[in-house]
């Protein structure tokens, strides 16, 4: 069974016209982390996932998709 | 930030106390404990005190001199993950060298039973901790 965690981070960011640097600065993480998250190379901690969700005013499930 | 300040103050107090104790033992020729080698005890206390002061003060000044961007880079969870992982690998290399040194010293007859088994126990325990940390990192990546 392959478990994948996909996310809509890039889509949401582009919808709101936010740059990676701006998002990284607001979430207090590096720009590389945002890039890795968007490309699915890194799964965030639950704390970061909450911070991202609060930033976009959405729930974690709205942003991160758990797929089996 | 506050935690680091407390660490710096606490460490400095303990360190300075140890340094003063070392100086006192050295100058007044006082033997507080029954050390096997009383001549080197003051040096040991002073060195330990100096190390504790440096180790406790360094993180505070390091943190104070950082810009916001540097702090974010350093505390970034992905960077921290890579940092801990590389620490584990570096530790494995260090331990490999340590075990070879231990073997070499034992073969040359510089180790007695107590020191040999003490070092072996430390190696085994620290290796087990390192394996646990690696497993934890692999499951939380």
């Amino acid at each position: 069974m392959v478990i994948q965690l996909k996310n809509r981070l890039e889509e949401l960011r582009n919808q709101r016209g936010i740059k990676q640097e701006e998002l990284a600065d607001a979430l207090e993480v590096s720009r590389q982390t945002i890039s890795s998250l968007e490309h699915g190379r890194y799964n965030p901690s639950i704390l970061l996932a909450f911070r991202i969700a609060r930033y976009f005013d959405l729930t974690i499930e709205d942003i991160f998709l758990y797929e089996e | 930030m506050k935690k680091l300040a407390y660490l710096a103050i606490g460490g400095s107090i303990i360190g300075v106390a140890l340094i003063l104790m070392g100086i006192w033992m050295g100058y007044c020729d006082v033997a507080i404990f029954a050390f096997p080698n009383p001549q080197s005890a003051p040096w040991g206390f002073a060195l330990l005190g100096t190390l504790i002061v440096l180790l406790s003060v360094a993180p505070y000044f390091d943190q104070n001199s950082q810009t916001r961007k540097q702090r974010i880079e350093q505390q970034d969870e992905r960077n921290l993950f890579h940092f801990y992982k590389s620490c584990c690998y570096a530790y494995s290399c260090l331990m490999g060298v340590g075990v070879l040194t231990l073997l070499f010293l034992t073969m040359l007859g510089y180790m007695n039973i107590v020191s040999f088994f003490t070092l072996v126990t430390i190696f085994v325990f620290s290796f087990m901790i390192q394996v646990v940390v690696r497993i934890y990192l692999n499951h939380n990546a």
Side-chain angles (χ1 to χ4, degrees):
Chain A
M1 186 173 62
V2 181
I3 300 164
Q4 267 192 315
L5 189 70
K6 290 185 177 176
N7 66 70
R8 296 172 52 223
L9 200 58
E10 191 171 9
E11 181 196 327
L12 290 166
R13 189 174 59 74
N14 288 333
Q15 269 177 10
R16 293 170 197 220
I18 306 162
K19 287 181 184 169
Q20 279 190 346
E21 284 89 353
E22 290 167 353
L23 182 61
D25 198 53
L27 297 171
E28 296 205 340
V29 294
S30 67
R31 194 197 57 77
Q32 286 82 0
T33 296
I34 300 295
S35 173
S36 296
L37 285 169
E38 286 183 356
H39 290 97
R41 290 193 300 261
Y42 177 69
N43 293 330
S45 69
I46 193 74
L47 289 173
L48 182 57
F50 268 111
R51 287 216 301 270
I52 293 168
R54 292 233 170 121
Y55 180 82
F56 288 110
D57 217 7
L58 295 167
T59 61
I60 289 178
E61 289 87 350
D62 291 333
I63 303 169
F64 296 96
L65 314 163
Y66 180 84
E67 285 181 1
E68 283 182 357
Chain B
M1 199 64 148
K2 247 184 176 178
K3 273 183 196 169
L4 287 178
Y6 289 140
L7 177 78
I9 294 166
S12 300
I13 292 168
I14 295 167
V16 169
L18 283 170
I19 293 169
L20 291 175
M21 208 165 159
I23 293 169
W24 179 57
M25 283 165 74
Y27 272 101
C28 303
D29 210 16
V30 183
I32 303 171
F33 308 107
F35 290 112
N37 190 359
Q39 271 87 33
S40 55
W43 290 105
F45 270 81
L47 184 68
L48 183 66
T50 313
L51 278 175
I52 289 173
V53 170
L54 290 175
L55 284 173
S56 55
V57 167
Y60 178 72
F61 285 108
D62 181 50
Q63 190 88 4
N64 265 356
S65 62
Q66 280 178 344
T67 61
R68 185 172 181 264
K69 201 164 186 182
Q70 283 172 329
R71 187 174 53 80
I72 288 171
E73 278 289 328
Q74 207 175 59
Q75 290 176 359
D76 180 72
E77 60 177 47
R78 194 176 124 273
N79 288 349
L80 277 178
F81 171 76
H82 291 307
F83 173 73
Y84 291 138
K85 207 88 206 249
S86 57
C87 279
C88 284
Y89 285 116
Y91 181 75
S92 294
C93 297
L94 185 73
M95 215 169 62
V97 176
V99 169
L100 285 175
T101 311
L102 185 67
L103 189 72
F104 189 66
L105 287 171
T106 311
M107 282 165 73
L108 290 176
Y110 287 111
M111 300 293 286
N112 61 32
I113 292 170
V114 176
S115 51
F116 176 79
F117 280 104
T118 306
L119 287 172
V120 166
T121 312
I122 290 168
F123 279 147
V124 170
F125 268 109
S126 52
F127 181 75
M128 280 158 60
I129 291 166
Q130 188 237 166
V131 169
V132 171
V133 170
R134 268 197 204 198
I135 293 167
Y136 174 79
L137 288 173
N138 284 339
H139 283 271
N140 288 279

